[in-house]
Amino acid sequence: MEDLVLIGGGGHCKSVIDSLNDMCEFNIIGILDTKENVGKMINGIKIIAEDKELEEYFKRGVKNAFVTVGGVGDNSLRIKLYQLTKKIGYQFPTIIDPTAIVSKTAKIGEGTFIGKGSIINTDVTIGSNCIINTGTIIEHDSKIEANCHIAPGTTLSGAVRIGENSHVGTNSTVIQNISIGSNTVIGAGSVVVEDIDSNEKAFGNPCRAVKT
């Protein structure tokens, strides 16, 4: 098994570790996090150093990394860490929990996590550094761009488009052929029945952008 370092401790990190343990494909050497958390344990894996030590571990021969910081409506830290780690030269696996159902025709980018019980149907495209969380359903021909978080229990019907850096909240439903722009947040439990522009915050049933 190849060595792998995780970047960011917390709840999402626990989920990723659990999936990695079931996959049996990587040896997790430890977690990099903030200084005050060094020495703590997350699901049996130790926080071994600060994230500023990323370059040092790469020089030691660790070539695989995975960003395990979650993103609840704000993916900026995930994006920053991903870009920094990629610049150093790390490779990013795609982590798919063994309980997920993923079509052989789906295309999934590097550094993306597919959580427990998710269903990714035929001809779906998912970009890099995404979180497709527990129990999500992504139906045929949908496209999710980079750095998105599709939160637990969410359903995207056929041919939905989600722009980069966007967040779709827990238990939301997006009907077929809908487009959601980039840098947009959809609140939990929303029912999206019409297109939502980029750089919006929207919620409700039917989902509407918040006027500011």
Side-chain angles (χ1 to χ4, degrees), residues 142-210:
S142 290
K143 182 176 182 180
I144 301 169
E145 295 186 6
N147 309 313
C148 287
H149 182 181
I150 311 301
T154 291
T155 297
L156 306 185
S157 298
V160 167
R161 297 289 185 268
I162 309 289
E164 63 181 3
N165 312 332
S166 288
H167 176 96
V168 182
T170 299
N171 283 330
S172 293
T173 299
V174 184
I175 68 166
Q176 65 277 5
N177 301 312
I178 290 294
S179 292
I180 295 172
S182 301
N183 306 301
T184 286
V185 177
I186 305 297
S190 295
V191 179
V192 185
V193 296
E194 60 183 32
D195 293 350
I196 304 292
D197 291 337
S198 296
N199 306 303
E200 297 279 13
K201 292 184 178 179
F203 68 92
N205 180 8
C207 186
R208 294 286 187 268
V210 178

Side-chain angles (χ1 to χ4, degrees), residues 61-73:
V62 181
K63 302 304 181 185
N64 298 292
F66 200 85
V67 178
T68 46
V69 172
V72 182

Side-chain angles (χ1 to χ4, degrees), residues 87-107:
K87 186 176 180 180
I88 291 170
Y90 280 95
Q91 297 177 355
F92 297 84
T94 298
I95 297 177
I96 301 175
D97 191 275
T99 64
I101 300 171
V102 179
S103 169
K104 292 179 180 179
T105 62
K107 299 178 179 65

